[in-house]
Amino acid sequence: MTSQMARQVTPQGSPMAPVPYRVTRSRAETADTVTLTLEPVAAAIPEPAPGQFTMMYAFGVGEVPISVSRTGPVLEQTVRAVGAVTRAVCGTRPGQVLGLRGPFGTGWELDSARGRDLVIAAGGIGLAPLRPVVLRALADRDAFGRIAVLIGVRTPDDLLFTGELDEWRARGAQVEVTADRPAPGWTGHVGLITSLAGAADVDPARAVAFVCGPEVMMRVTAEAFIGLGTPAADVRLSLERNMRCGLGWCGHCQLGPLLICRDGPVVPYERAVPLMTVREL
Amino acid sequence: MEHTSGVTADALAEARFFVGMPDASLAALATTAEDVDVPAGHRFFDEGGSAQRFWLLRSGRVALDLQVPGRGAVVVETLPASAVLGWSWLFSPHRWRFGAVALEPVKAVQFDGPGVRELCAADPRLGHDLTLRFAAVMLDRLEATRVRMLDLYAHPEDVR
Ligand SMILES: Cc1cc2nc3c(=O)[nH]c(=O)nc-3n(C[C@H](O)[C@H](O)[C@H](O)COP(=O)(O)OP(=O)(O)OC[C@H]3O[C@@H](n4cnc5c(N)ncnc54)[C@H](O)[C@@H]3O)c2cc1C
Ligand code: FES
């Protein structure tokens, strides 16, 4: 057994066996998105790195890959209800139990950005996998240069973690939010997230950019920063594909030569972009 | 609006929009430019008005809007610092297609459109260079508009 596979084995022994976690808190972020705080019922899974995901099992309904939105002493996952399983997960009340497998996949590798400016660009639910990066970077603020968090949402009501954004600002991040469809009274930016690229208070040439959201959004955002001078090798994206095993066994998450559960979800832009633009994949 | 003159070629060279433009062209453009400071709420232009200027935003934010009956001025896009505001001055019939209002106090470099058009007519290389720079801005905004039309963040049930 390789060391990578050894890490994936759950406390029960089988990497396919979900580990019971109790929901201790459920916080509605938006009309369709919930953040769950989770505590192990007994044994815990290994601590996920920012960017990694777990397979979340709603007992009797099904299992879905969900990124961690906080990791460390407190584990949180933020879920948008789009179908049967995510609806069941979002409906889980405090005290009820879900199953977790993992953590799986590659992380953002924040340490590689130490000493550099940091661009964190998120579209929609894409802010959830990036939140642990923001929290880690702000907890170690002096290790980084300037930090710009750019967020694109459909409407102002779709913004996640609204209670935290001012704290992120107070702790030294530039946080800019742009809405596609502003509501009356909205005083923030209006437009695609790329329109914020030029306003990010960073030196693009010495920045590392982490981008997460719908694929088209990631592509245009990455290209905007590369256009401003960020080295393509320093732009990372988080890809999504349907998953079953999470272990590199079943091939469900294949994207060209990559198995996203194992080689992703976080991949360098240069590796991702030729695959994202191929129609058949 | 407060005007202060004395925009230099060096000051323009610092703007991303002008990166790589020859010094002589920058010096020529600087003769048509002035620094302006406007308060929040200042209207740069109204839809349908005569388009005779453009601005390079240095700080603050500007909203582009359209008057929609029953809804008032609907903001279609905001422009942050470093953006270029206004391209209708370049194209006939020189009428603004949108309105523009400062959402915050704005510092900008304001260019005199007819003056720049004259410079471009006298120096086709400058004209070509400037037109390409505006085309790149328009291309970016067109792409952004098209991507917004995809409604990427919509709930899957709403786009089926
Ligand atoms: C590595 C990884 C990390 C993820 N992290 C998160 C997360 O942190 N929070 C979160 O809410 N979701 C996340 N997702 C997406 C989540 O896994 C899917 O939304 C979920 O699998 C849908 O399952 P379902 O049974 O609820 O809906 P399904 O019935 O499978 O799908 C319902 C509808 O949603 C669409 N859909 C399914 N998956 C996606 C998707 N990924 N993107 C867009 N539309 C989709 C389907 O086409 C269908 O129309 C992640 C996915 C991956 C691969
Ligand atoms: S989900 Fe099975 S190989 Fe990736």
Side-chain angles (χ1 to χ4, degrees):
Chain A
M1 189 181 278
T2 65
S3 61
Q4 187 184 7
M5 289 191 59
R7 270 208 313 279
Q8 292 163 342
V9 171
T10 65
Q12 274 75 7
S14 161
M16 290 303 286
V19 178
Y21 267 69
R22 181 164 286 113
V23 173
T24 58
R25 191 167 171 232
S26 166
R27 187 177 65 239
E29 299 285 352
T30 69
D32 61 15
T33 303
V34 166
T35 295
L36 300 176
T37 309
L38 298 148
E39 271 180 19
V41 173
I45 60 169
E47 183 178 311
Q52 285 195 300
F53 67 95
T54 71
M55 293 300 292
M56 280 190 114
Y57 185 41
F59 290 101
V61 186
E63 201 183 36
V64 284
I66 300 292
S67 304
V68 293
S69 61
R70 181 189 287 268
T71 177
V74 179
L75 176 64
E76 289 187 340
Q77 299 196 257
T78 301
V79 188
R80 185 181 194 198
V82 296
V85 183
T86 45
R87 258 197 294 275
V89 170
C90 286
T92 312
R93 308 310 315 156
Q96 294 182 319
V97 173
L98 291 165
L100 296 191
R101 292 191 299 117
F104 297 123
T106 53
W108 294 105
E109 293 178 18
L110 179 61
D111 278 347
S112 67
R114 289 175 90 82
R116 313 269 301 269
D117 286 357
L118 210 53
V119 172
I120 293 161
I125 186 75
L127 185 56
L130 283 167
R131 180 180 176 231
V133 173
V134 178
L135 297 178
R136 283 270 163 100
L138 292 179
D140 197 5
R141 184 66 192 83
D142 293 342
F144 301 93
R146 286 169 288 181
I147 300 176
V149 182
L150 312 179
I151 303 169
V153 290
R154 186 173 195 243
T155 73
D157 287 344
D158 297 316
L159 183 59
L160 305 179
F161 314 124
T162 46
E164 292 174 30
L165 302 184
D166 280 340
E167 192 192 328
W168 296 0
R169 291 184 180 105
R171 291 168 66 191
Q174 176 194 7
V175 180
E176 303 288 346
V177 180
T178 184
D180 277 348
R181 298 169 185 220
W186 171 248
T187 56
H189 301 276
V190 178
L192 193 67
I193 190 167
T194 49
S195 66
L196 298 179
D201 183 21
V202 295
D203 175 359
R206 64 181 290 265
V208 173
F210 298 147
V211 187
C212 188
E215 274 190 18
V216 173
M217 168 266 164
M218 288 196 286
R219 208 168 68 222
V220 295
T221 307
E223 281 159 10
F225 276 96
I226 292 166
L228 291 174
T230 304
D234 292 323
V235 178
R236 271 163 242 160
L237 318 177
S238 182
L239 296 176
E240 285 191 9
R241 283 296 177 273
N242 284 336
M243 294 195 181
R244 283 276 165 82
C245 69
L247 290 155
W249 292 350
C250 72
H252 248 83
C253 64
Q254 185 166 3
L255 179 63
L258 306 182
L259 292 174
I260 297 302
C261 69
R262 184 193 64 194
D263 308 317
V266 180
V267 291
Y269 166 84
E270 286 168 319
R271 214 162 169 212
V273 83
L275 303 171
M276 286 159 80
T277 47
V278 176
R279 195 187 304 180
E280 285 77 19
L281 293 177
Chain B
M1 188 185 326
E2 260 184 53
H3 299 254
T4 48
S5 53
V7 174
T8 62
D10 285 350
L12 294 185
E14 283 169 22
R16 197 173 287 130
F17 180 73
F18 288 119
V19 162
M21 186 176 262
D23 291 345
S25 300
L26 290 171
L29 287 172
T31 63
T32 71
E34 60 182 334
D35 285 317
V36 293
D37 270 353
V38 305
H42 169 80
R43 242 188 200 279
F44 286 89
F45 47 83
D46 281 307
E47 184 187 345
S50 172
Q52 302 299 346
R53 289 178 176 149
F54 70 96
W55 295 263
L56 190 61
L57 306 184
R58 291 211 178 278
S59 66
R61 221 153 31 99
V62 173
L64 296 180
D65 57 15
L66 265 183
Q67 294 295 330
V68 180
R71 290 169 64 191
V74 175
V75 175
V76 292
E77 191 170 5
T78 55
L79 303 181
S82 85
V84 172
L85 168 64
W87 56 58
S88 299
W89 65 275
L90 184 56
F91 303 101
S92 189
H94 310 302
R95 299 241 156 252
W96 297 116
R97 314 273 170 135
F98 292 89
V101 62
L103 294 174
E104 304 163 357
V106 167
K107 286 185 190 300
V109 183
Q110 175 177 287
F111 294 84
D112 171 53
V116 176
R117 287 201 300 264
E118 268 175 38
L119 289 175
C120 293
D123 179 356
R125 285 173 76 137
L126 166 61
H128 179 67
D129 184 343
L130 197 64
T131 305
L132 283 183
R133 287 167 199 269
F134 272 95
V137 172
M138 294 163 78
L139 205 61
D140 277 352
R141 301 229 186 118
L142 175 63
E143 181 189 44
T145 304
R146 285 178 172 165
V147 172
R148 278 173 75 188
M149 283 171 70
L150 294 175
D151 205 2
L152 293 172
Y153 309 132
H155 196 280
E157 275 166 14
D158 295 336
V159 288
R160 257 185 223 135

